[in-house]
Amino acid sequence: MMLGLLLARAGVDVTVLEKHGDFLRDFRGDTVHASTIRLIDELGLGDGFRRLPQSRLNNVAFPIPGAGLVTVGDFASLKPPYNYIAMMPQWDFLDFLATQAAREPSFTLLMEHEATELAFDGGRVTGVRYRTRGGTRGGTEGTLHADLVVATDGRHSVLRRAAGLRPKDYPVPFDTWWFKLPRHASEKGAVAGIVPAFRDREAMIALFRDDYYQMGYLAPKGDNARIRAEGVERFREHVAALRPDLADRVDSISSLDDLHWLDVRLDRLRRWYVDGLLCIGDAAHAMSPVGGVGINLAIQDAVAAASLLAPPLLRRNVRVQDLAAVQRRRRMPTVVVQTVQRIMHRAVFVPLFAGKTPGPPPALLFVVRHAPVVRRILPRLIAFGPRPEHAPGFARRLQARDAT
Ligand SMILES: Cc1cc2nc3c(=O)[nH]c(=O)nc-3n(C[C@H](O)[C@H](O)[C@H](O)COP(=O)(O)OP(=O)(O)OC[C@H]3O[C@@H](n4cnc5c(N)ncnc54)[C@H](O)[C@@H]3O)c2cc1C
């Protein structure tokens, strides 16, 4: 959606295909980092963005048995106004971007259009085949020809597979089970917090929604069968033990069907493109949930792609070298973030899920607590990431007061 908005602002004819009828997907991430908020301001959309329902995350902290919380990222130490992470349901953010993009005459969004295959001419990708869902009206099939196809179809990308691109998988020690718990009226005013709770071989995070908590239960990969075999009552006990403050409402988990299992993946394509097709976002690199960076990295890819590709697209002459330039620009930040995630997996989650520590290793927390350089760098690294992108000149607008 971001790439569509940016290219349309450059005057490129752009069509976004979305297979679903809306963006309302439960259990999607919330974290809009400072790099993305700054970008939204550069696009002149800051006022409308800030009017969306959201809460502010001012720091990231870990609980330490007997020692309270250790803050690993104090965003308040960053320069305002980009000194927080916005917690916002992904569907609100996508609806907002879609509304802004719809104002550009060269932008088209086709909902309920599922890309199924690539169209080729010789060795070059020349478009996508799609089918519409149509429901009772009956679906149709068609081909959309294009000078460039960008696969932004997520971590199970159909188009990446159709192009013969295979990602390299990295091992991940845990999976996540998402579910909801009610949020009482008296808890409404609370500021967002995602302090994880740790116990022997399990962990839990809670994201704030308007009238419920989005809970993520983390346990070793392969434990889905164990959870199902143990049954709902045992799962409620796990939740209550991890979050005694929420134990009064675990009965709202009526069955294990209320759990949404996320098979966590971390992978990356060696080559993000073939002639006529480029992969970005999760289609090029699925991210671990550690750090909540997936949305933001995908958006940074989109900005880099728009900046580098709008001129050749306007000339209608996109070469393979142009696509390679996008990968060159975005590979380093992706590798850095995924490497940090893999280190965190090894340092925190592998020992936790092996039952060796009840939380992050003390050595790691000592460094975070006592090394001033780390304390200074960490919030910036989390909030902006390596090589944050800025809006290209052609996409910048002065703040539009009616941008809602
Ligand atoms: C449960 C969960 C929680 C997460 N939490 C966070 C978080 O807190 N913070 C964060 O930054 N990241 C989070 N992430 C990761 C983040 O959602 C992704 O990294 C990010 O959305 C990637 O963006 P994308 O545009 O590349 O792909 P996606 O967001 O996956 O978008 C792909 C889109 O393409 C559509 N699509 C798929 N196939 C087709 C097709 N064949 N034809 C047409 N349309 C298609 C999909 O419906 C979808 O709308 C989470 C992910 C999950 C699954």
Side-chain angles (χ1 to χ4, degrees), residues 17-20 23 25 27-31 33 90 113-116 152-155 158 178 207 214 262 280-283 287 292-296 298:
L17 303 185
E18 168 54 56
K19 70 176 172 183
H20 289 106
F23 300 116
R25 235 86 74 233
F27 306 126
R28 271 315 190 95
D30 284 44
T31 51
H33 286 209
Q90 205 177 107
H113 278 62
E114 178 178 7
T116 51
T152 61
D153 49 345
R155 61 204 207 115
V158 167
W178 293 99
L207 304 180
Q214 179 177 318
L262 174 68
I280 60 169
D282 275 17
M287 309 301 291
V293 291
I295 298 168
N296 304 281

Side-chain angles (χ1 to χ4, degrees), residues 112 132-140:
E112 296 196 328
T132 62
R133 278 239 293 253
T136 51
R137 300 186 302 278
T140 56

Side-chain angles (χ1 to χ4, degrees), residues 5 23 62 70 115 202 217 258:
L5 167 65
F23 300 116
F62 279 119
V70 170
E202 57 188 4
Y217 173 73
D258 291 349

